[in-house]
Amino acid sequence: MGTASSLVSPAVGVGEVIEDTYGGGEACEIPVEVKPKARLLRGSLRRVGASRPGGLIGASFKSTASVQELECVAEYERLKKEYEIFRVSKNNEVASMVKKEAKLDRENKRLRAELQALQKTYQKILREKESALEAKYQAMERAATFEHDRDKVKRQFKIFRETKENEIQDLLRAKRELEAKLQRLQAQGIQVFHPEESDSDDNCTDVTAAGAQSEYWNGGALGSEPSMGSMMQLQQSFRGPEFAHSSIDVEGPFANINRDDWDAAVASLLQVTPLFSHSLWSNTVRCFIISTDETQLEVDIFIKTYSLKLQRICETMGYFFQVVHFSTENERPLKDVKKWEIEKSSLVILLLHLTLPSCLLEDCEEAFLRNPEEKPRLIYHRKEDGRVSSVSVQQLIEQISYVNKAKMIDHTGGVEEGAYEIYKCVEKIIKQDILGCEMTDLEAKDLGNKEESTAPEEEVFGDVLWDAHDEQEQMEAFQQASNSTCELGFEKYFERLNDLVAAPAPIPPLLVSGGPGSGKSLLLSKWIQLQQKHSPNTLILYHFVGRPMSTSSESALIIKRLTLKLMQHSWLVSPLTLDPAKLLEEFPRWLEKLSARHQGSIIIIIDSIDQIQQAEKHMKWLIDPLPVNVRVIVSVNVETCPQAWRLWPTLHLDPLNTKDVKSLISAECSSANVKLTKEQEKKLERHCRSATTCNALYVTLLGKTIACVGSTGSIEETLQQCCQCQDTVSLYRLVLRSIQESLQSDKEKGLLREILCVIGVSHNGVSESELMELYPQLSSAVLASLIHSLHKMCLLTYGCGLLKFQHLQAWEMVRLEYMEEGENVISAYRQKLVEYFTMQLSRDQVTWRSADELPWLFQQQGDKQKLHKCLLNLFVSQNLYKRGHFAELLSYWQLVGKDKSSMAAEYFDSLKEYEKSCEGEESMICLADLYETLGRFLKDLGLLSQAVAPLQRSLEIRETALDPDHPRVAQSLHQLAGVYVQWKKFGNAEQLYKQALEISENAYGAEHPRVARELDALATLYQKQNKYEQAEQLRKKSFKIRQKAARRKGSLCGFALLRQRALQLEELTLGKDTPDNARTLNELGVLYYLQNNLE
């Protein structure tokens, strides 16, 4: 039986909150009133009694409870319905809110897209505005130049008219005098012949007049002066002359030359490859020593005591130093090796005493009597009292003194003093004759400080960071690629390339494709030479990509180098960003700028572009429309060409035909005096028919292999082995094994393996001096012999003083031959290089080699901790940044996991720690340089506010440690002003530039290139502020300073450039008299005029 208490649910308390289990509504609180049981019972009985007269006193509790339950159920149902209605309404509200939210999100995305589009439009309009302002300034400059030229022509015409009027008056006066004289003679009865009947020259007066006119013309009275846009300045740096604004006044015999002809002659100078010192072989100062047994002690002391000092001198200036010495005890036939070393040597030292062995006589004659390049030579002759040198020694010295200008050291003291005298003389020769870095007292006085002479590139290129090693590597790559004398039937390809240049624009880049070793680099280098010879007005920019992951394959450095070349040929040197993304944006603009000014074609050639890291991403400017006179040629391996580029016009190199194969092998064999039989030739022809055996590299290597063993071994056996090699890699393996068999000991074979493996795992290669330090048991004679064999067989070559693989197939062969065990072997050799360069850092010896190799090796090993520590070495980062390897430095920091702000903070903290240990003036100057480098680095990162503090600290240190008026203080002011210019704080920048200008004028004089640099910076600042008149005045003043400096600064390298181009033109003019020859002769005359100006 139920009770009243059953009306209240036991699970629900009073005032309990009931939640919606469906998730659609909200929780609500339902009040429940619970009455006491007794009171409920009495009330029920009372109601029953009242409703029924007579009284039913015996009513049951069950009926009463049922009524109450019905009431509660009804109330529950009502509440349930209300709750359901509430839940549904709330669900509808939530759904409505979700729809509104989605609608707002779509509206927000649309507004964001519109905002981004507006920002892009704003940036585009801003760039267009800047371009328009620049065009306006250029138009104003051209208008001013035109007005100047017009006024000059008016003055010249006035002078010409007055001169001619005076000549006419003189002629009339002379005519009257002759007529009067004639009348007097007739009056005296003297017979006079009539002028028309005279057989004599009746044009004598005309001759006189013409003579006067000719003299006037030669004086240049009517010669038009070249405008600023068509002038050039010949400047010298340690890389050779660079060309900027003109320093040549077209006067004298060239006053009547057509402007186009003059511009063509000047432009042709830009095609001559800049020359390095002829005494340097691939960035290395090589010292070859010839000595007798009597002078061996001097050689030992010189090598052990003084060669390291000379090496430090050369490394400080970015060069390698190598001493090569063959002892007389060496019984191996090294005639070819010695001859090769003498040809490469920068300096040959001959040490004599009393006798001269006959075995050294040939070396002495090769080095001293056959020295066509007139490289420095030194003879050390130790004398003794009472003893006379042999006849052979005396005769050799007499012959050398008669034929060649060799420096002599006559020494009569001890052996150690003699070695010291050799060292001092060699040091002087290296500084003055080979590197050309030692100045006279007058030059040092002009510079005001010796330190200023150590950075000539800053004077020429301003704030542009240029790596001379990268540039020299490209020059050597071009020269090596074009060394082959065999054309291999390239004439048909030359015609196709010429058609590309002549084709109407716009056209996409031309793709030169072919298999590995098919001769793509050779074709392009030969065609470049032909273009430079026959089309001097065509500007060619080239880049040869080397091994993957090397510096030459880094896209940011390639774009920076090409941009610098464009700036150089635009005759403009302005600040250049190092940010890879901005560089990629600025390169097409510079290309368009130069194309608008350049009269001829511009050809950009990139060899092995598919070896560039992420080529499609970083070379996307190739697919953009190029200027009308710009052509692009790229070469790719047909197997690795990106798919998107395969739609471009393609020039595919076919395999060599039988005739080319035969001529190439015959040329290699004839150079070694080896003759093949007809049967052997046919066997080779049958072998070289597949695609992998008839490419240029394979056939060349095959010819060298046969020629190498032709005089010492069996050709038939070698042919049999070669025919088993079906590709270039396997043929390289055969070549390597033949070199190993020629070595006499297992020690030399082991050294050969070590050398090849170390070169293979390095970033850019290894130098000879580094190899000798890595392997102390390796002598210079053994190393020279090994390298000669490897170089002769196309395995190794030189690039900026570093030994590297000549072809990718040689590198692949070494990996297969020596590194088949995998990453463990590669890691072991890399660790050996890491230990070597880390040891150099521990000696406080940070060279460009340490900065290039060590971070890269840590990156390859994946050791982020050591890489982080290496990057915090301030001198390593400074070296990378100052050589323009900005993108490489950023990639290392990204690998470590640091952003720009944290990177800047860590550098600043490291500098603060380093500052605590700095004592003395020299260390404080070094600290100021580090602060300045950090400031410039942060400016290039775009952290302008953080860049100010280190630059200001650098300024404070230099003002305190040096002097407030020191030139380095001007340098700090200049860099700090550059930050303010980029920050749009033009007032602060102007004040700093003016202070720097004042200091430079006081330190160097008013006509120094450093002063011109500050004037250019001020002019650029005024141009940004639309103060065109002030900017124009400063630029003219700067131009005059650079003009005078260029005239005062003629160099041997400048002579070499002009004479080299003149010789090329002389060859072209040996044919018939044609209009082209006339134009060439005109250009030749301009070059001779330039030479006379320099001399």
Side-chain angles (χ1 to χ4, degrees):
M1 179 180 291
T3 61
S5 62
S6 64
L7 296 174
V8 181
S9 175
V12 179
V14 178
E16 186 173 1
V17 178
I18 300 178
E19 296 181 356
D20 181 18
T21 58
Y22 297 97
E26 296 180 356
C28 61
E29 183 178 350
I30 302 176
V32 179
E33 182 178 359
V34 182
K35 297 180 180 180
K37 295 180 181 180
R39 187 177 299 175
L40 179 62
L41 180 62
R42 287 195 299 268
S44 300
L45 294 175
R46 192 179 298 116
R47 283 195 299 273
V48 172
S51 61
R52 294 184 180 183
L56 294 175
I57 302 177
S60 68
F61 286 117
K62 182 177 181 181
S63 62
T64 305
S66 300
V67 172
Q68 188 68 28
E69 285 177 356
L70 291 174
E71 291 177 357
C72 290
V73 169
E75 183 70 16
Y76 172 76
E77 291 295 331
R78 183 183 64 81
L79 290 173
K80 184 178 180 181
K81 290 179 181 178
E82 291 178 356
Y83 172 75
E84 190 68 24
I85 294 170
F86 179 81
R87 185 180 65 80
V88 171
S89 64
K90 290 300 179 182
N91 282 341
N92 293 335
E93 290 178 4
V94 169
S96 176
M97 293 295 292
V98 170
K99 291 180 180 179
K100 288 182 181 179
E101 183 180 5
K103 183 178 179 181
L104 289 174
D105 284 341
R106 290 193 299 271
E107 187 70 11
N108 186 26
K109 291 179 180 178
R110 184 182 64 80
L111 291 175
R112 283 184 177 180
E114 291 180 356
L115 179 60
Q116 291 178 355
L118 288 174
Q119 288 177 345
K120 291 181 179 178
T121 306
Y122 169 74
Q123 294 294 334
K124 181 180 178 181
I125 293 174
L126 190 61
R127 288 195 298 268
E128 291 176 353
K129 178 184 176 183
E130 293 175 354
S131 301
L133 288 175
E134 185 176 358
K136 177 183 176 183
Y137 174 73
Q138 292 176 355
M140 292 174 62
E141 187 176 8
R142 288 195 298 270
T145 305
F146 175 77
E147 291 290 334
H148 178 266
D149 291 342
R150 187 184 65 179
D151 294 338
K152 182 176 180 180
V153 169
K154 284 182 178 179
R155 292 193 301 270
Q156 291 175 345
F157 179 75
K158 181 180 178 182
I159 296 171
F160 176 78
R161 186 182 60 186
E162 292 175 354
T163 304
K164 289 302 176 184
E165 288 176 353
N166 292 333
E167 290 177 0
I168 292 172
Q169 293 298 328
D170 292 337
L171 289 174
L172 292 175
R173 190 181 304 111
K175 180 183 177 182
R176 287 194 296 269
E177 291 176 356
L178 288 174
E179 288 176 348
K181 187 176 181 181
L182 179 61
Q183 290 176 0
R184 286 196 301 270
L185 291 174
Q186 289 177 348
Q188 296 174 4
I190 300 175
Q191 185 180 3
V192 180
F193 294 96
H194 195 275
E196 294 180 359
E197 299 176 355
S198 175
D199 293 333
S200 62
D201 187 2
D202 58 347
N203 295 324
C204 56
T205 55
D206 294 337
V207 171
T208 306
Q213 180 180 356
S214 175
E215 183 180 355
Y216 176 77
W217 278 92
N218 288 338
L222 292 182
S224 61
E225 184 175 330
S227 61
M228 292 178 64
S230 66
M231 301 170 79
M232 86 164 195
Q233 176 180 2
L234 187 62
Q235 296 182 343
Q236 175 200 8
S237 69
F238 60 94
R239 291 171 297 278
E242 308 293 348
F243 298 92
H245 308 284
S246 173
S247 66
I248 308 301
D249 295 330
V250 188
E251 302 287 351
F254 298 98
N256 58 347
I257 284 182
N258 183 278
R259 176 59 52 82
D260 295 337
D261 295 342
W262 178 268
D263 289 343
V266 169
S268 71
L269 295 179
L270 302 177
Q271 297 301 328
V272 184
T273 305
L275 300 177
F276 293 87
S277 173
H278 68 282
S279 300
L280 288 175
W281 172 273
S282 189
N283 202 58
T284 305
V285 179
R286 308 183 69 87
C287 184
F288 187 82
I289 298 178
I290 305 174
S291 66
T292 63
D293 294 335
E294 298 170 337
T295 56
Q296 187 61 39
L297 289 175
E298 284 96 330
V299 174
D300 294 339
I301 296 173
F302 176 78
I303 293 176
K304 292 179 182 178
T305 307
Y306 300 112
S307 62
L308 189 61
K309 295 181 180 180
L310 295 172
Q311 181 178 342
R312 296 290 177 264
I313 293 173
C314 295
E315 285 179 351
T316 306
M317 305 185 65
Y319 298 96
F320 297 107
F321 179 76
Q322 178 69 12
V323 176
V324 181
H325 176 244
F326 292 87
S327 62
T328 55
E329 300 175 356
N330 199 320
E331 299 178 356
R332 295 180 59 182
L334 299 173
K335 180 180 177 181
D336 293 340
V337 180
K338 289 183 179 181
K339 184 177 179 180
W340 190 55
E341 286 294 334
I342 290 173
E343 290 175 357
K344 294 190 300 178
S345 64
S346 309
L347 169 65
V348 177
I349 307 174
L350 174 61
L351 289 83
L352 298 173
H353 182 37
L354 298 176
T355 61
L356 178 64
S358 58
C359 60
L360 298 179
L361 188 59
E362 186 175 355
D363 295 340
C364 295
E365 292 177 352
E366 181 69 32
F368 288 88
L369 302 181
R370 306 186 195 107
N371 183 19
E373 297 180 357
E374 297 183 357
K375 294 181 181 180
R377 297 292 185 255
L378 175 64
I379 300 177
Y380 167 81
H381 188 198
R382 175 156 54 90
K383 299 180 179 180
E384 289 186 17
D385 296 336
R387 301 187 68 180
V388 182
S389 300
S390 64
V391 177
S392 58
V393 172
Q394 295 178 5
Q395 288 180 351
L396 179 64
I397 293 176
E398 289 178 1
Q399 290 178 352
I400 293 174
S401 60
Y402 178 76
V403 175
N404 197 356
K405 295 180 180 178
K407 296 187 178 181
M408 292 287 301
I409 298 178
D410 292 326
H411 180 66
T412 56
V415 174
E416 295 182 356
E417 291 85 353
Y420 179 74
E421 285 191 22
I422 295 173
Y423 161 69
K424 295 303 292 183
C425 189
V426 169
E427 180 185 17
K428 187 176 181 181
I429 290 174
I430 290 176
K431 288 184 176 180
Q432 288 186 350
D433 300 338
I434 299 177
L435 302 183
C437 63
E438 196 168 87
M439 302 177 300
T440 62
D441 296 338
L442 182 60
E443 289 171 336
K445 184 179 179 181
D446 290 340
L447 287 177
N449 194 311
K450 183 179 179 181
E451 294 172 0
E452 300 297 324
S453 63
T454 60
E457 73 279 3
E458 210 172 271
E459 183 176 302
V460 177
F461 291 102
D463 294 331
V464 177
L465 299 174
W466 179 287
D467 190 355
H469 301 106
D470 293 344
E471 185 62 25
Q472 183 173 358
E473 182 182 5
Q474 285 302 310
M475 291 169 54
E476 292 180 6
F478 170 71
Q479 292 169 359
Q480 290 167 5
S482 58
N483 274 342
S484 176
T485 56
C486 188
E487 297 295 339
L488 302 177
F490 283 164
E491 290 78 9
K492 56 183 179 181
Y493 303 130
F494 291 157
E495 293 178 3
R496 178 72 185 278
L497 294 172
N498 293 333
D499 292 340
L500 170 75
V501 178
I507 56 175
L510 177 67
L511 205 65
V512 179
S513 69
S518 57
K520 301 182 291 293
S521 303
L522 177 61
L523 168 67
L524 293 177
S525 59
K526 290 290 186 182
W527 186 71
I528 290 173
Q529 288 180 333
L530 290 176
Q531 287 293 313
Q532 290 178 343
K533 185 176 181 181
H534 298 294
S535 302
N537 206 28
T538 300
L539 174 61
I540 301 178
L541 306 179
Y542 60 82
H543 187 91
F544 289 83
V545 180
R547 196 182 70 185
M549 296 193 304
S550 64
T551 301
S552 63
S553 65
E554 293 181 9
S555 57
L557 291 178
I558 294 173
I559 295 297
K560 188 199 74 154
R561 178 180 173 271
L562 293 177
T563 305
L564 286 173
K565 284 290 185 181
L566 292 175
M567 293 171 60
Q568 177 184 347
H569 287 87
S570 299
W571 303 338
L572 295 173
V573 178
S574 61
L576 178 67
T577 179
L578 294 179
D579 188 351
K582 293 181 180 178
L583 265 177
L584 204 58
E585 294 177 1
E586 289 186 5
F587 176 71
R589 297 176 192 167
W590 277 104
L591 188 59
E592 189 172 352
K593 247 182 210 180
L594 180 59
S595 66
R597 298 182 181 183
H598 190 69
Q599 293 184 353
S601 300
I602 301 175
I603 303 175
I604 300 176
I605 298 175
I606 304 179
D607 180 50
S608 301
I609 193 173
D610 52 325
Q611 300 295 335
I612 296 176
Q613 304 165 16
Q614 299 180 342
E616 290 184 86
K617 175 183 177 182
H618 297 291
M619 295 293 162
K620 59 184 180 181
W621 57 271
L622 289 171
I623 62 177
D624 295 334
L626 297 171
V628 176
N629 58 338
V630 176
R631 301 290 183 270
V632 177
I633 302 173
V634 297
S635 72
V636 294
N637 190 338
V638 69
E639 300 172 358
T640 58
C641 176
Q643 190 65 34
W645 295 356
R646 295 180 184 268
L647 300 176
W648 293 349
T650 303
L651 174 62
H652 185 76
L653 300 190
D654 300 325
L656 299 181
N657 55 37
T658 305
K659 180 181 177 182
D660 293 333
V661 170
K662 185 177 179 180
S663 63
L664 191 53
I665 294 178
S666 299
E668 293 293 343
C669 292
S670 61
S671 63
N673 296 323
V674 175
K675 190 173 182 180
L676 300 176
T677 63
K678 292 184 177 181
E679 184 179 350
Q680 292 170 344
E681 291 179 354
K682 290 180 180 180
K683 189 174 183 179
L684 288 173
E685 290 176 7
R686 288 194 299 269
H687 174 64
C688 298
R689 287 182 177 177
S690 64
T692 56
T693 59
C694 61
N695 63 67
L697 177 58
Y698 183 93
V699 176
T700 302
L701 191 58
L702 181 62
K704 287 182 177 295
T705 305
I706 297 172
C708 185
V709 300
S711 57
T712 58
S714 173
I715 296 180
E716 195 63 37
E717 182 181 353
T718 304
L719 278 178
Q720 190 67 27
Q721 294 175 350
C722 292
C723 290
Q724 296 175 2
C725 302
Q726 296 300 319
D727 56 19
T728 308
V729 175
S730 59
L731 186 58
Y732 261 126
R733 182 173 289 188
L734 176 63
V735 168
L736 179 61
R737 289 173 182 172
S738 65
I739 294 176
Q740 289 176 335
E741 292 174 0
S742 66
L743 300 179
Q744 295 180 346
S745 63
D746 293 336
K747 177 182 176 183
E748 292 182 358
K749 294 178 182 178
L751 288 173
L752 175 64
R753 171 176 179 156
E754 294 292 315
I755 291 172
L756 292 175
C757 289
V758 166
I759 294 173
V761 301
S762 64
H763 188 196
N764 293 309
V766 183
S767 70
E768 294 169 88
S769 57
E770 290 168 351
L771 285 174
M772 294 190 68
E773 291 181 11
L774 282 166
Y775 302 100
Q777 71 273 22
L778 182 62
S779 65
S780 62
V782 173
L783 179 61
S785 179
L786 291 176
I787 293 175
H788 177 263
S789 301
L790 296 170
H791 185 273
K792 181 181 179 181
M793 299 307 296
C794 300
L795 270 84
L796 295 184
T797 186
Y798 287 94
C800 196
L802 301 175
L803 290 167
K804 53 185 67 177
F805 292 106
Q806 193 164 346
H807 299 282
L808 290 177
Q809 291 87 340
W811 178 48
E812 184 66 25
M813 179 273 300
V814 170
R815 292 180 61 186
L816 294 174
E817 185 73 15
Y818 293 135
M819 304 178 187
E820 282 186 319
E821 299 177 12
E823 289 295 327
N824 293 332
V825 178
I826 297 175
S827 179
Y829 282 108
R830 282 182 178 157
Q831 184 61 32
K832 191 173 187 67
L833 287 175
V834 165
E835 293 173 358
Y836 170 73
F837 288 112
T838 304
M839 181 178 63
Q840 283 194 342
L841 290 184
S842 64
R843 299 174 183 169
D844 293 333
Q845 181 185 349
V846 179
T847 62
W848 67 279
R849 288 288 298 137
S850 304
D852 266 357
E853 293 289 336
L854 198 54
W856 184 84
L857 290 168
F858 286 139
Q859 182 191 40
Q860 296 301 309
Q861 289 185 332
D863 196 335
K864 297 183 180 180
Q865 184 177 0
K866 290 184 179 179
L867 176 60
H868 187 205
K869 182 180 178 181
C870 179
L871 293 176
L872 287 179
N873 186 313
L874 301 170
F875 297 98
V876 171
S877 299
Q878 182 187 44
N879 193 294
L880 283 173
Y881 174 75
K882 281 198 168 185
R883 292 189 295 115
H885 291 227
F886 181 82
E888 184 180 352
L889 190 57
L890 280 185
S891 67
Y892 293 146
W893 278 107
Q894 289 172 1
L895 180 64
V896 172
K898 301 291 183 179
D899 59 3
K900 295 181 180 180
S901 300
S902 58
M903 181 197 333
E906 290 195 24
Y907 271 135
F908 205 78
D909 293 341
S910 299
L911 266 175
K912 288 292 184 184
E913 287 295 323
Y914 179 76
E915 187 173 356
K916 294 178 182 178
S917 62
C918 289
E919 295 179 358
E921 181 179 338
E922 185 176 350
S923 60
M924 293 304 292
I925 293 174
C926 181
L927 176 65
D929 292 340
L930 291 172
Y931 270 116
E932 181 185 314
T933 303
L934 176 59
R936 296 175 67 177
F937 179 61
L938 297 179
K939 182 185 76 170
D940 288 331
L941 286 174
L943 306 176
L944 301 180
S945 59
Q946 300 181 41
V948 173
L951 289 175
Q952 285 182 339
R953 181 59 184 149
S954 172
L955 177 61
E956 294 171 0
I957 293 173
R958 286 174 175 169
E959 286 180 338
T960 305
L962 297 172
D963 188 77
D965 294 329
H966 195 275
R968 285 189 175 269
V969 175
Q971 171 72 11
S972 294
L973 293 169
H974 179 90
Q975 297 299 337
L976 189 57
V979 175
Y980 285 129
V981 169
Q982 198 168 334
W983 210 353
K984 307 296 183 184
K985 295 185 177 182
F986 297 134
N988 296 342
E990 182 178 0
Q991 182 180 1
L992 294 174
Y993 275 140
K994 287 182 176 178
Q995 292 179 15
L997 176 62
E998 182 181 358
I999 293 174
S1000 298
E1001 286 179 340
N1002 293 334
Y1004 299 114
E1007 295 184 352
H1008 194 274
R1010 292 294 178 95
V1011 176
R1013 176 190 177 191
E1014 304 301 335
L1015 291 172
D1016 283 336
L1018 266 176
T1020 304
L1021 176 63
Y1022 287 145
Q1023 184 178 344
K1024 290 180 180 292
Q1025 297 175 281
N1026 300 331
K1027 300 177 181 179
Y1028 297 116
E1029 293 183 1
Q1030 299 179 23
E1032 184 179 2
Q1033 292 176 359
L1034 292 177
R1035 288 200 186 279
K1036 287 182 177 179
K1037 188 176 179 181
S1038 169
F1039 172 73
K1040 290 180 180 178
I1041 293 174
R1042 295 185 185 278
Q1043 187 180 37
K1044 292 180 180 179
R1047 287 176 174 171
R1048 190 173 57 245
K1049 193 181 175 185
S1051 68
L1052 293 177
C1053 249
F1055 291 150
L1057 277 174
L1058 296 174
R1059 288 167 181 159
Q1060 179 179 342
R1061 183 59 189 160
L1063 289 175
Q1064 293 177 359
L1065 295 174
E1066 285 175 357
E1067 293 177 2
L1068 292 178
T1069 57
L1070 296 178
K1072 299 179 180 180
D1073 294 333
T1074 62
D1076 291 337
N1077 269 1
R1079 188 180 183 90
T1080 305
L1081 283 169
N1082 191 24
E1083 181 185 345
L1084 186 59
V1086 173
L1087 295 179
Y1088 286 148
Y1089 174 70
L1090 295 178
Q1091 290 187 47
N1092 292 332
N1093 269 7
L1094 285 175
E1095 291 174 343

